[in-house]
Amino acid sequence: MKSEFAQSTAIESFLRSVEREAAVLPADRRGELLADLAEHIHVALAERPGQEQAVLAELGDPRAIVGTALESEPAADRIPDPSGAVKALRVLLWVSLVIAAIAVVGIAVGNYDLPVYVEVLTLLPVLATAVHVFFLRPGRAVLRVTLTVTTALWVAGVLVNLLNGAPGAVIGALVGVAILVLLHQRSTRAWLAGTTAA
Amino acid sequence: MHRMEQGGARDRVPGKAESQLRKGVLEYCVLALMRDEPRYGVELVQTLAASGALAAGQGTIYPLLSRLRRDDLVATTWRESASGPPRRYYRLTESGLAALEEFSRIWPAFRDAVDGILRSDPPPSTDSGRNP
């Protein structure tokens, strides 16, 4: 949403809040709505300088604006709310963040018998998977690809650990496989792609 | 609909009947505003707000304008302005004009019919055969 105008924090936070509410809209509709509103604000401010608060207040509640946009959207084009699969995926990513944190501590105190390079190699994919939790948004289809790659590497690493006689790694294996399964769900794919399941 | 409410309309939450009603006709009010000359967004929005035709905040007009663009009822062109940023001007397309004319044709009879019912004029009896 950058423009040649110096945007105040109030304007930025208004547009951000519209953007957040509009996460359920297809990406092109969301972009269009944000561009229209930004244009309105800039034109209105050029005509009534200094009346930023009034201009924003007159535009109304971001939720109401997005609600109107949803009404004019055929139901088939809407992005569904995060499904159960997406919510479960988010929970598992938080779990993997905890697993990664425990592993980091474990490596630091030398708690494991495996060679350090093996430990680090198996930890990296877990970390890479876990940080996805901070970027998970509808319309970011690329995340499904990167998540699949990092999780597959994670599971592979865990299998190596298991073969090397680390039975505790089975928890990591289960979480990793569960993430892969959830990623493959139709609703997860649709949500990440920013489209409907149709 | 009270004409007097214009100034305070923004701070008031319209009831369900009112907001449904306004939503239904808003699209045609928007089309009507650009019938004679192209208008830019802020101009359209402020005219509507001043007329009391808006059901909610001014921002709710933009999803409507976006749909009118997609449905080819309006077309837009950007114009430079002597003061401030360029403005996107909206004008009616042929199908937009046709939609507006159709609405204008239907509206008076519709309005009169609703008025008639609200005044509780006895409606012309259609089930007289069933009366004893």
Side-chain angles (χ1 to χ4, degrees), chain A residues 17-18 29 43 47 60 64 69 85 90 120 146 159 170 174 178 184 194 197:
Chain A
S17 148
V18 173
R29 297 274 192 284
V43 171
E47 293 175 355
R90 197 166 263 148
V120 173
T146 55
L159 291 179
V170 80
L174 288 177
H184 211 71

Side-chain angles (χ1 to χ4, degrees), chain A residues 4-5 29 32-33 36-37 39-40 42-44 46-48 55 57-60 64-65 68-69 71-73, chain B residues 10 23 40-42 45-46 56-60 62-64 66-67 69-70 78 83-88 90:
Chain A
E4 67 273 28
F5 291 88
R29 297 274 192 284
E32 216 174 352
L33 179 60
D36 278 349
L37 291 172
E39 185 213 333
H40 175 99
H42 293 145
V43 171
E47 293 175 355
R48 299 151 64 195
V55 166
E58 284 163 7
L59 276 176
I65 298 173
T68 311
E71 278 166 21
S72 66
E73 201 62 33
Chain B
R10 190 195 313 147
K23 262 176 212 158
Y40 60 95
V42 169
V45 167
Q46 272 161 6
Q58 298 181 2
T60 58
Y62 287 101
L64 170 61
S66 157
R67 185 169 57 77
R69 291 198 296 262
R70 282 201 301 283
W78 288 92
S83 64
R87 287 138 166 85
R88 184 180 208 172
Y90 291 78

Side-chain angles (χ1 to χ4, degrees), chain A residues 74-133:
Chain A
D77 286 349
R78 290 186 202 173
I79 298 174
D81 282 341
S83 63
V86 172
K87 286 173 189 159
L89 179 64
R90 197 166 263 148
V91 170
L92 283 182
L93 290 180
W94 281 113
V95 169
S96 49
L97 199 62
V98 173
I99 291 178
I102 293 173
V104 167
V105 173
I107 292 174
V109 300
N111 200 27
Y112 301 121
D113 303 329
L114 298 171
V116 172
Y117 78 92
V118 176
E119 290 165 3
V120 173
L121 273 182
T122 54
L123 178 60
L124 281 180
V126 183
L127 270 175
T129 302
V131 294
H132 277 81
V133 79

Side-chain angles (χ1 to χ4, degrees), chain B residues 125-132:
Chain B
S125 182
T126 53
D127 59 353
S128 52
R130 265 183 263 152
N131 288 339

